[in-house]
Amino acid sequence: VLSFVGRGGSRENLLSEQAAVVTDHLLYTHNLFNGNLASDAGIRPYFEQYVLLFLNWFPRAAWPSKPVGSGYYSVDHFGERGFVGEEHNISLGFVGEQIFLLGYNYLWGLFFALVSLIALRRFLAMHAHKNGVSALIAFDATLLTYFWAGMASFGARAWFVLAPILIISYVRRSRI
């Protein structure tokens, strides 16, 4: 809401086309929760997205069977691909993604994903160089992607920032 208002919109116009980029995930979450959209509920779709949380950076050329993010294939699942471009994806939000992937068992998936992210942040805190708070700052900044778009989107963005920081931190630590 604040992002939209900050871009020149107004609170009264939150469901306009202009606001869609900021509020779509809320609408998808609402519709999924109320059963207005069909989900892709199952352990396999959830596990595929969970793997992308950590490995979405891996090149598809080296991993041809790499799953696509739920934000991409949900467009096809909802039957909206005919109205948008081939590369279009949507933001389901972190709760909407869990509902899409696990249906009414979404709280289990949400819990597992959040515990994993907390563990990852603790790992970064322990393994970044003592002066390497940049890893934590980068993690916290890219964490917004998880809340807005889900596990695969986080995995696509975070590791391109975190991996170099961790490598440099490791090199610095081994030289000391």
Side-chain angles (χ1 to χ4, degrees), residues 46 50 53-54 111-121 139:
Y46 177 83
Y50 183 78
L53 178 69
F54 299 98
F111 176 77
F112 190 64
L114 291 175
V115 166
S116 298
L117 288 168
I118 291 167
L120 176 58
R121 191 175 192 289
F139 177 85

Side-chain angles (χ1 to χ4, degrees), residues 3-52:
S3 297
F4 176 66
V5 173
R7 292 178 181 166
S10 68
R11 286 189 72 211
E12 293 77 32
N13 206 14
L14 282 177
L15 296 177
S16 70
E17 271 187 50
Q18 293 173 312
V21 72
V22 178
T23 60
D24 261 2
H25 65 287
L26 300 173
L27 186 58
Y28 280 112
T29 299
H30 176 75
N31 286 333
L32 283 162
F33 187 78
N34 289 323
N36 296 331
L37 293 173
S39 73
D40 188 27
I43 295 297
R44 183 179 175 93
Y46 177 83
F47 181 71
E48 288 176 346
Q49 297 307 300
Y50 183 78
V51 167
L52 292 177

Side-chain angles (χ1 to χ4, degrees), residues 120-149:
L120 176 58
R121 191 175 192 289
R122 288 186 148 199
F123 172 84
L124 291 172
M126 290 178 357
H127 289 88
H129 187 268
K130 64 181 177 183
N131 296 324
V133 296
S134 57
L136 298 176
I137 293 169
F139 177 85
D140 292 347
T142 55
L143 190 59
L144 294 173
T145 302
Y146 169 73
F147 292 122
W148 177 68

